[in-house]
Structure formats: structure tokens, C-alpha cells
């Protein structure tokens, strides 16, 4: 586990510092129905900051509990509003969503059949928070789930690596929201992974960890494990398809899976929270048969220091995230899994102070 006790471990210098204090003036209620692995984002809608949650896994944690439900919560609201379901026939796991110009873009995910078969899905949608309507946009060139996504120049949505049907891919697929079309950027050079995390500041993004195929067992079945890797990508300012990569110093300990991640422009850093070192499929039980345990860690790649920085652990261990969001002056996750593989709908704040939100 990565936390503040790792100062100078393995020659790496972790700067131990306090995390920004919670300054919430209102506590966000939990989702009406708990969801893990839900795709989340935030946008300004009619002058109000608004949170969104799409798809994911309900409390039963079986193939029948994959969800196509969607919710939104705006500043000043008392509760989340149920939105129309994503217009697909089956629930989706490991989708990704991003907001551009007040609209929400939904990408991919995968379905789970009764026999356990999984299929990456190509359908993508534009959701209009004003009309509450979905419109189909161009399919991904390669249907992908469990990818990292981020927005560049308030126009381009990047999907980095992830899983396609039978294996991980290195593709960096980019959707141009103005041109309404896809193009491929320079491939991700790290281990192809799913369930990794990351974010962007300016034209530089950071990707950390995830799960890779690491071999096969004596019966020829694939084996999965977390990988401990960090990569920085720098997007060419005149060509969004050109990316230069740099391998970052390796963090001590095991890699983590399904953390929350996001770029922080104000702090000039990419933040990572929670996750688990034990790779699992979707129900929280590891591929090794052991229950996966969520973590409390909070760390970042700090561009100003050009190094990893560790912060005080958050109070609640969590995993199974598909994003990290800034709400006013706070950082939050919505949904996910808690100890005991409990699917939750709670909104978890980083480093809450006394008498603040739980």
C-alpha cells in the first residue's frame, strides 16, 4: 500500500503534506440506489455545477445487476434526479463519461451474459442535460471498456488503453466533439491495462497502474495482476494526435486497480485515490479467489515538483471507481465499493474536517 510512511523508500522521495481541507457548504446525499463501477463526471448546467452518474453495478453484484441507470445532482438540489436510462438493451460496466461545453459524452463499457461471457460495446452517446435526451454518436473504432478518459482543449476526449473483448489494447482513441469523428493518437507505450487511472493538466496527462494479463496457468487460463507503472504523455500543441511519453519513477509497493483519478489545474497535479492491489473482475472477489480490499491512500504526480507526492489517507477505504471529481473546493468520489465488497451510493470526500460531510 502506498501511504505517507513510504518516505525515501526505494530511493523515491515522497513529500508528505496535508491535503486541501474540506470546505463544503452542503453535503451531497447518496445515490438513490447504490452503484459501483459507475461512470461519473461533472459539468456546469444552466449556471449550476452538476454531477452525473451512468451505468455500473448494483448491490447483488451478479450479471443481472449490471445497470443502465443514470442520475444527476445540481448545486442547491436536495436529492439526485433519476434520468432516462442509457438507451441500450443491457446494463453496462466500466464505461466512461466526460463533459464538454455542458454536454455529457458516454463511451463504451461492457455487458455480462448469464454464462459469464463479456463483450466490449461500441455504442457511444451524447446526453443533453437540458432536454434529458440521448443521441447516438459515432462508434469507437475499437470498442473498449475500463479505459482512462480525459478532455483536452475543451474539445478532444481521449480514451487511453483499456480492454477490448479478449485482451488489453494500447490504443489511444480520440473523439473530436466538434468534428463528431474519431482519430487515433500515438499508442500508449506502457503495459496495456484495464482499470487504470489518470488525468490531464494543460497538455500533459499521467496514467498510473491498472491490471494486465501476466501469463497463463497450467490449464491455459489467463492470469491477471496489477502493474506498478506511471507514464506521462505530452500532447503536441499543434497536433492532438501526436503524444510524447515519459516513464515516471516507479512507486514502491504493488500497483492499484480502479482508483479514482483526475487532473487538478489549480494544484498542477494529477490526483489518485483509493483502489485495491488485488485484481478482480467486477464483483470485488479477486481473480485469485480472495476478496479484494479497498485502500485509503491519496497521492499525486506533482508537475511543479516533478515527482510523486503522498497525502494523508482519506478516512474511508474505497475502490471500483470510474472517476474522481472536484465539487466546489472539495474532491469527491460517488459510489464504488467499500470494505467487504459493499456496493455503495455514498459521496466520499477527501480529508473531511470535524462537523463537515462524512
Amino acid at each position: 500500500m502506498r501511504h505517507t510512511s513510504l518516505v525515501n523508500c526505494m530511493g523515491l522521495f515522497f513529500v508528505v503534506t496535508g491535503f486541501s481541507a474540506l470546505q463544503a457548504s452542503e453535503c451531497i446525499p447518496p445515490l438513490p440506489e447504490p452503484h459501483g463501477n459507475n461512470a461519473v463526471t461533472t459539468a456546469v448546467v444552466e449556471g449550476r455545477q452538476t454531477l452525473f452518474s451512468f451505468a455500473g453495478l448494483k448491490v447483488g453484484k451478479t450479471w443481472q445487476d449490471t445497470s443502465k441507470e443514470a442520475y444527476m445532482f445540481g448545486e442547491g438540489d436536495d436529492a439526485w434526479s433519476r434520468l432516462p436510462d442509457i438507451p441500450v438493451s443491457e446494463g453496462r460496466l466500466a464505461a466512461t463519461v466526460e463533459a464538454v461545453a455542458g454536454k455529457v459524452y458516454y463511451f463504451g463499457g461492457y455487458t455480462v451474459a448469464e454464462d459469464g461471457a463479456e463483450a466490449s460495446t461500441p455504442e457511444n452517446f451524447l446526453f443533453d442535460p437540458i432536454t434529458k435526451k440521448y443521441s447516438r454518436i459515432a462508434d469507437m473504432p475499437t470498442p473498449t471498456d475500463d479505459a482512462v478518459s480525459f478532455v483536452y482543449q475543451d474539445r478532444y476526449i481521449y480514451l487511453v488503453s483499456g480492454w477490448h473483448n479478449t485482451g488489453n489494447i494500447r490504443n489511444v482513441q480520440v473523439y473530436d466533439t466538434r468534428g463528431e469523428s474519431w482519430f487515433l493518437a500515438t499508442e500508449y507505450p506502457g503495459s496495456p491495462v484495464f482499470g487504470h487511472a489518470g488525468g490531464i493538466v494543460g497538455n500533459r496527462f499521467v496514467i498510473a497502474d491498472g491490471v494486465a494479463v501476466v501469463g497463463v496457468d497450467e490449464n491455459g487460463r489467463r492470469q491477471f495482476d496489477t502493474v506498478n507503472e506511471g507514464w506521462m504523455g505530452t500532447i503536441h500543441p499543434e497536433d492532438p494526435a501526436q503524444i510524447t511519453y515519459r516513464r515516471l519513477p516507479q512507486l514502491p509497493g504493488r500497483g492499484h486497480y480502479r482508483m479514482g483519478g483526475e487532473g487538478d489545474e489549480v494544484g498542477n497535479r494529477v490526483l489518485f485515490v483509493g483502489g485495491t492491489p488485488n485484481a478482480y473482475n467486477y464483483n470485488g472477489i479477486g481473480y485469485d479467489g480472495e476478496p479484494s480490499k479497498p485502500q485509503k491512500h491519496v497521492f499525486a504526480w506533482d508537475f511543479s515538483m516533478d515527482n510523486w507526492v503522498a497525502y494523508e489517507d482519506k478516512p474511508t477505504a474505497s475502490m471500483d471507481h470510474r472517476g474522481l471529481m472536484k465539487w466546489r473546493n472539495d474532491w469527491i468520489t460517488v459510489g464504488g465499493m467499500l470494505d467487504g465488497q459493499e456496493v455503495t451510493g455514498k459521496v466520499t470526500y477527501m480529508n473531511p474536517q470535524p462537523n463537515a460531510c462524512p
Side-chain angles (χ1 to χ4, degrees), residues 165-234:
N165 284 336
T166 58
N168 288 320
I169 59 174
R170 286 194 167 91
N171 302 38
V172 178
Q173 303 179 90
V174 187
Y175 184 72
D176 181 353
T177 61
R178 298 180 195 170
E180 300 180 349
S181 59
W182 290 89
F183 62 88
L184 295 178
T186 309
E187 283 192 347
Y188 179 62
S191 300
V193 285
F194 67 92
H196 42 317
I200 189 169
V201 174
N203 68 329
R204 295 182 294 179
F205 62 90
V206 173
I207 304 293
D209 297 357
V211 170
V213 178
V214 295
V216 295
D217 63 17
E218 61 277 7
N219 298 313
R221 294 174 298 193
R222 289 172 301 186
Q223 294 180 304
F224 299 91
D225 201 0
T226 54
V227 297
N228 183 337
E229 291 185 20
W231 289 85
M232 181 193 300
T234 302

Side-chain angles (χ1 to χ4, degrees), residues 116-127:
E118 301 174 359
S120 304
T121 56
E123 301 99 334
N124 308 307
F125 299 95
L126 168 64
F127 177 75

Side-chain angles (χ1 to χ4, degrees), residues 13-349:
F13 183 67
F14 278 63
V15 179
V16 182
T17 182
F19 198 60
S20 56
L22 185 79
Q23 300 176 21
S25 58
E26 65 179 23
C27 295
I28 305 168
L31 291 168
E33 185 167 359
H35 277 71
N37 203 244
N38 47 320
V40 296
T41 192
T42 181
V44 176
V45 180
E46 296 184 315
R48 297 193 305 159
Q49 186 177 3
T50 305
L51 303 173
F52 296 88
S53 173
F54 293 84
L57 185 69
K58 298 182 182 181
V59 294
K61 295 180 291 186
T62 71
W63 69 275
Q64 295 174 303
D65 298 300
T66 58
S67 174
K68 53 184 178 180
E69 294 177 9
Y71 300 90
M72 67 182 287
F73 178 89
E75 288 181 297
D77 290 346
D78 294 324
W80 290 78
S81 299
R82 174 76 181 266
L83 299 173
D85 288 353
I86 302 165
V88 292
S89 59
E90 301 167 281
R92 297 286 191 270
L93 299 177
T96 187
V97 292
E98 293 290 352
V100 177
K103 302 292 195 300
V104 178
Y105 292 81
Y106 167 95
F107 300 98
Y110 70 92
T111 59
V112 183
E114 185 174 1
D115 63 0
E118 301 174 359
S120 304
T121 56
E123 301 99 334
N124 308 307
F125 299 95
L126 168 64
F127 177 75
D128 187 328
I130 305 299
T131 64
K132 308 293 191 299
K133 292 183 179 179
Y134 297 87
S135 55
R136 183 84 175 258
I137 60 175
D139 290 357
M140 265 183 281
T142 302
T144 307
D145 57 76
D146 252 324
V148 163
S149 67
F150 50 80
V151 178
Y152 176 56
Q153 294 185 338
D154 295 321
R155 173 176 179 175
Y156 303 105
I157 301 175
Y158 286 67
L159 275 67
V160 179
S161 198
W163 184 268
H164 169 64
N165 284 336
T166 58
N168 288 320
I169 59 174
R170 286 194 167 91
N171 302 38
V172 178
Q173 303 179 90
V174 187
Y175 184 72
D176 181 353
T177 61
R178 298 180 195 170
E180 300 180 349
S181 59
W182 290 89
F183 62 88
L184 295 178
T186 309
E187 283 192 347
Y188 179 62
S191 300
V193 285
F194 67 92
H196 42 317
I200 189 169
V201 174
N203 68 329
R204 295 182 294 179
F205 62 90
V206 173
I207 304 293
D209 297 357
V211 170
V213 178
V214 295
V216 295
D217 63 17
E218 61 277 7
N219 298 313
R221 294 174 298 193
R222 289 172 301 186
Q223 294 180 304
F224 299 91
D225 201 0
T226 54
V227 297
N228 183 337
E229 291 185 20
W231 289 85
M232 181 193 300
T234 302
I235 302 170
H236 194 291
E238 297 179 1
D239 185 355
Q242 296 299 315
I243 303 172
T244 302
Y245 292 94
R246 168 190 166 194
R247 177 73 182 262
L248 300 180
Q250 184 167 323
L251 287 157
R254 291 178 57 80
H256 278 66
Y257 175 53
R258 287 185 177 162
M259 298 181 288
E262 184 62 50
D264 176 17
E265 294 278 353
V266 174
N268 198 30
R269 59 192 176 179
V270 176
L271 287 162
F272 301 88
V273 304
T276 179
N278 188 36
Y280 63 91
N281 188 0
Y282 63 85
N283 63 2
I285 303 301
Y287 293 105
D288 60 2
E290 295 296 321
S292 296
K293 296 180 179 179
Q295 304 295 301
K296 295 182 177 181
H297 62 196
V298 180
F299 67 99
W301 176 264
D302 189 305
F303 290 105
S304 300
M305 296 181 179
D306 197 40
N307 205 348
W308 296 107
V309 177
Y311 297 98
E312 179 182 352
D313 283 353
K314 64 193 187 78
T316 304
S318 64
M319 63 185 190
D320 213 36
H321 297 302
R322 296 293 302 144
L324 174 68
M325 296 174 289
K326 192 169 188 179
W327 177 257
R328 297 183 175 178
N329 294 314
D330 315 319
W331 290 94
I332 61 171
T333 56
V334 176
M337 282 188 188
L338 306 178
D339 282 325
Q341 299 76 54
E342 176 191 354
V343 176
T344 183
K346 293 180 180 178
V347 177
T348 302
Y349 292 78

